[in-house]
Amino acid sequence: MPTWPTQAECRRFYGAPGTNQTILTLPYAMTYDGKPVTRMTINKKCADSAFRALTRIASEYSAADRKSLGLSIYAGCYNNRVMRGGSQLSMHAYACAIDFDPNRNQLKWGRDKARLAKPDCEAFWRAWEEEGWLSLGRARNFDWQHVQAARL
C-alpha cells in the first residue's frame, strides 16, 4: 500500500498545483454533470493507484449498482482552489483528490445523511483504503463525496 504525504507535505511530494499531471482513462462509465466522461486529470504520482481502486470498484459492483450508489457520478479531481471555508490549498489543487456524487454526499452531511456512508458502499471504501487513500467521511464524518491520496 502506498504511503501518501500529509496534507502539509503535498506541495513537496506532488509539486506545484497544475504540474505533474496526467490523463487517467476511467475503467468504467462515469458522468460529470450528467454528461459521459471517460478520463480525468490527476497527479502522476497517484494515477496508477487511483486506476487500481477504480478497477476494483468496477469488479465489485455491477454497472447498475455503480449508478444507483452514485459511484459513476464523477464530480472532479483537479481544481486549483483553496479548501472550502479555509485558506490552505485544497487537495484538488494537487490533483490527488476525487469527488463522487456531490448531491447525495454534501460537504457538511454526516453518516446519517450521506449516501456513500451506507453499508452497501463498504467495498468502494475498501478499494480506496487498500491503496492508502483517505475518506474524509470515514475519518471525520463530513465530505463523504471526497477521497484523497494524502493523510491528515
Side-chain angles (χ1 to χ4, degrees):
M1 176 172 67
T3 300
W4 301 114
T6 64
Q7 290 183 170
E9 299 166 333
C10 280
R11 185 177 185 95
R12 184 173 42 83
F13 183 83
Y14 287 116
T19 66
N20 300 318
Q21 297 175 348
T22 191
I23 300 296
L24 175 70
T25 300
L26 300 171
Y28 62 85
M30 290 191 179
T31 60
Y32 179 86
D33 198 25
K35 298 176 181 83
V37 292
T38 59
R39 335 179 286 166
M40 74 169 71
T41 300
I42 191 168
N43 194 286
K44 289 177 184 178
K45 289 191 173 184
C46 60
D48 289 343
S49 176
F51 185 78
R52 286 190 300 270
L54 290 166
T55 299
R56 182 169 168 187
I57 291 161
S59 72
E60 296 269 349
Y61 295 97
S62 69
D65 288 340
R66 290 191 306 266
K67 184 175 181 179
S68 72
L69 297 173
L71 310 181
S72 63
I73 301 172
Y74 169 68
C77 181
Y78 173 64
N79 185 355
N80 192 358
R81 63 171 175 80
V82 297
M83 290 183 200
R84 305 232 186 261
S87 59
Q88 303 274 334
L89 281 176
S90 167
M91 297 300 97
H92 291 285
Y94 300 104
C96 68
I98 304 169
D99 288 344
F100 296 87
D101 193 7
N103 291 336
R104 295 189 299 169
N105 298 285
Q106 294 183 25
L107 177 66
K108 294 183 180 182
W109 286 4
R111 65 184 47 86
D112 58 320
K113 288 182 79 175
R115 179 62 189 94
L116 288 174
K118 305 303 179 218
D120 52 4
C121 295
E122 182 64 27
F124 172 80
W125 293 119
R126 272 196 322 270
W128 290 109
E129 289 166 353
E130 289 180 10
E131 288 291 330
W133 290 61
L134 175 82
S135 157
L136 290 178
R138 285 166 68 102
R140 298 278 171 88
N141 196 28
F142 74 95
D143 205 5
W144 281 87
Q145 69 182 291
H146 181 92
V147 63
Q148 65 185 41
R151 296 175 287 132
L152 296 176

